[in-house]
């Protein structure tokens, strides 16, 4: 057997050893407590398996979806893993080194404190990881979504980053200059005092607007919303300070 789908088998407590299995779908198997070593498994979807506490090393696994496995405490090092969705795994504290991982979604992993170096990662979604204090140096990262990471104080230099959405990161104080960054949304980052030059910027309620005259980036759109009124900045003043603005919302 190469493909097994036992989704919503709510009384299932274990999976047999199936040496040729390549795809396993066992979402909402809430009594499932373990998964055996499956040497050829490439895809594992086991969302909402709330009794499952661990996963064995699966040497051929490329895609793992363990959304809302709330008892899961760790993820092993798997050499071929490329896509990992562990959103809502509230007992998870760290992401190990996964040498081929390209996409990571760990939304609302509220106890996650560490993300290891992931040399091939291109997309990181870590919104509402409220215990996370830092982002590692990820040399190939293109998109970073970290909204609601309230303990995050800084973002490292990510040389390939093109898109950064970090709304409501209330402890974030600075964002470095990154040559490839084109899109920045830092709405409600109230501690932020400086930002890099970008093509498209959304920045309502950011303190850096007090020093907007120092900013002369090539901006296509600047969304300042209520900040115009809170800081008593007029559209004319902004246009004078930043003459290349084409749209003000």
């Amino acid at each position: 057997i190469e493909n097994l789908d036992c989704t919503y088998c709510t009384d299932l407590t274990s999976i047999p050893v199936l040496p040729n299995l390549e795809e396993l779908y066992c979402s909402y198997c809430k009594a499932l407590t373990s998964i055996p070593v499956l040497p050829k498994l490439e895809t594992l979807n086991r969302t909402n398996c709330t009794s499952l506490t661990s996963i064995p090393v699966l040497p051929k696994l490329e895609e793992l979806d363990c959304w809302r496995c709330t008892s899961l405490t760790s993820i092993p090092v798997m050499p071929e893993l490329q896509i990992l969705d562990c959103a809502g795994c509230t007992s998870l504290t760290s992401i190990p080194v996964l040498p081929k991982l390209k996409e990571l979604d760990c939304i609302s992993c509220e106890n996650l404190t560490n993300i290891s170096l992931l040399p091939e990662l291109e997309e990181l979604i870590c919104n509402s990881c409220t215990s996370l204090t830092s982002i590692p140096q990820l040399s190939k990262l293109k998109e970073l979504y970290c909204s609601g990471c309230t303990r995050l104080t800084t973002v490292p230099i990510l040389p390939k980053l093109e898109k950064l959405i970090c709304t409501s990161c209330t402890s974030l104080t600075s964002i470095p200059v990154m040559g490839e960054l084109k899109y920045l949304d830092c709405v409600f980052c109230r501690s932020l005092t400086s930002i890099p030059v970008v093509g498209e910027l959304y920045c309502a309620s950011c303190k850096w607007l007090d020093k907007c005259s120092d900013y002369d980036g090539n901006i296509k759109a600047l969304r300042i919303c209520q900040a115009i009124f809170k800081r008593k900045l007029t559209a004319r003043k902004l246009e004078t300070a930043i003459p290349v603005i084409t749209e003000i919302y």
Side-chain angles (χ1 to χ4, degrees):
I1 184 170
E2 294 182 352
N3 188 309
L4 176 62
D5 189 343
C6 48
T7 302
Y8 288 105
C9 293
T10 54
D11 295 326
L12 184 69
T13 59
S14 63
I15 303 287
V17 175
L18 300 166
N20 294 316
L21 193 67
E22 295 180 359
E23 297 183 9
L24 173 59
Y25 302 89
C26 54
S27 295
Y28 296 90
C29 294
K30 295 192 175 183
L32 187 65
T33 58
S34 65
I35 291 174
V37 175
L38 301 165
K40 292 186 178 182
L41 195 69
E42 296 178 357
T43 299
L44 173 57
N45 187 313
R46 53 164 216 175
T47 63
N48 226 328
C49 293
T50 53
S51 298
L52 204 59
T53 60
S54 64
I55 317 170
V57 175
L58 301 166
K60 297 293 184 182
L61 196 68
E62 296 179 0
E63 183 173 351
L64 171 59
D65 187 347
C66 52
W67 174 77
R68 289 196 67 186
C69 290
T70 53
S71 298
L72 184 68
T73 59
S74 65
I75 291 170
V77 174
M78 289 183 278
E80 299 298 322
L81 194 64
Q82 296 182 31
I83 299 173
L84 172 59
D85 185 346
C86 56
C89 292
T90 53
S91 299
L92 196 64
T93 59
S94 66
I95 304 293
V97 175
L98 299 164
K100 291 188 178 182
L101 196 69
K102 292 185 176 181
E103 299 177 19
L104 172 59
D105 183 345
C106 52
I107 290 175
S108 297
C109 290
E110 58 190 33
N111 289 306
L112 186 70
T113 58
N114 179 61
I115 298 174
S116 299
L117 286 175
L118 302 166
E120 298 297 321
L121 197 69
E122 295 180 358
E123 180 180 272
L124 172 58
I125 307 173
C126 56
N127 299 334
S128 300
C129 290
T130 52
S131 297
L132 193 66
T133 59
S134 63
I135 303 292
Q137 295 279 352
L138 301 166
S139 60
K140 293 189 178 181
L141 196 69
K142 294 180 179 179
E143 297 186 9
L144 172 58
Y145 305 84
C146 55
S147 295
C149 292
T150 53
R151 295 186 64 191
L152 189 68
T153 59
T154 187
V155 174
I157 295 174
L158 303 165
K160 299 293 184 182
L161 196 69
E162 298 176 1
K163 184 173 185 178
L164 172 58
I165 298 180
C166 55
T167 63
S168 299
C169 289
T170 52
S171 299
L172 189 66
T173 59
S174 64
I175 298 170
V177 173
M178 291 178 275
E180 298 297 319
L181 192 62
K182 299 177 177 68
Y183 182 104
L184 173 59
D185 185 344
C186 54
V187 171
F188 297 116
C189 292
R190 293 190 173 94
S191 299
L192 194 62
T193 58
S194 63
I195 58 171
V197 172
V198 293
E200 188 167 354
L201 171 65
Y202 302 88
C203 59
S205 296
C206 292
K207 287 183 179 179
W208 81 274
L209 285 170
D210 288 335
K211 299 178 180 179
C212 68
S213 60
D214 296 332
Y215 192 89
D216 59 357
N218 183 20
I219 303 174
K220 293 180 181 177
L222 176 62
R223 181 182 291 275
I224 61 172
C225 307
Q226 61 200 326
I228 289 179
F229 304 101
K230 285 187 176 181
R231 306 294 179 189
K232 297 181 180 180
L233 298 173
T234 63
R236 179 175 296 277
K237 179 179 178 181
L238 280 168
E239 288 168 354
T240 301
I242 314 174
V244 293
I245 291 176
T246 58
E247 297 179 49
I248 297 177
Y249 299 86

